[in-house]
Amino acid sequence: MGVRVRRVYDPAEPEDGVRVLVDRLWPRGLAKEAARVDEWPKAITPSTELRRWYHAGEGSYEEFAERYEAELAADEAAGALDGVRDLVRKGEVTLLTSSRTPERSHATVLARLLQG
């Protein structure tokens, strides 16, 4: 059982397991059928304010990760995160993001928390 991070625009693979979209907004130009998303828990996505702050280049990735983890500790997000943890306990989970650099995105923070 494990957690992978992939771009939502990449074709689905059999080893993806449960495909979880972890972006607040639906990816541009992507049909829902083509995305093959199984779950879309919006409560675990970064807040609009945090996302805008990070994309404006106002802080480091490390500071973004800290702020995002603090958001995930809130009640609604924590409950949704537990739901994804349950999926991980049952099998493979792939976190999907439209980020051009998934390794420097919130999806990587989520993957680390889910594997820890």
Side-chain angles (χ1 to χ4, degrees), residues 9-116:
Y9 298 106
D10 295 337
E13 297 178 352
E15 58 272 7
D16 283 349
V18 178
R19 292 170 53 88
V20 180
L21 180 63
V22 294
D23 290 347
R24 186 169 297 269
L25 304 173
W26 187 262
R28 288 185 185 187
L30 186 63
K32 294 195 184 217
E33 301 80 37
R36 294 197 39 219
V37 170
D38 299 309
E39 302 284 336
W40 189 13
K42 293 179 188 174
I44 64 170
T45 64
S47 67
T48 300
E49 297 79 19
L50 180 59
R51 187 172 42 84
R52 287 181 180 158
W53 172 84
Y54 181 54
H55 291 297
E58 296 179 19
S60 68
Y61 176 72
E62 291 73 21
E63 186 176 356
F64 166 77
E66 287 177 21
R67 290 182 180 200
Y68 180 44
E69 286 185 43
E71 286 186 355
L72 290 171
D75 289 342
E76 183 181 2
L81 188 60
D82 285 343
V84 178
R85 277 193 183 102
D86 288 343
L87 295 174
V88 173
R89 285 186 198 104
K90 295 175 185 173
E92 297 298 316
V93 171
T94 298
L95 305 179
L96 303 169
T97 181
S98 61
S99 174
R100 289 187 194 113
T101 54
E103 65 279 356
R104 305 267 310 157
S105 75
H106 65 288
T108 303
V109 175
L110 272 175
R112 180 175 43 80
L113 291 174
L114 291 167
Q115 291 171 335

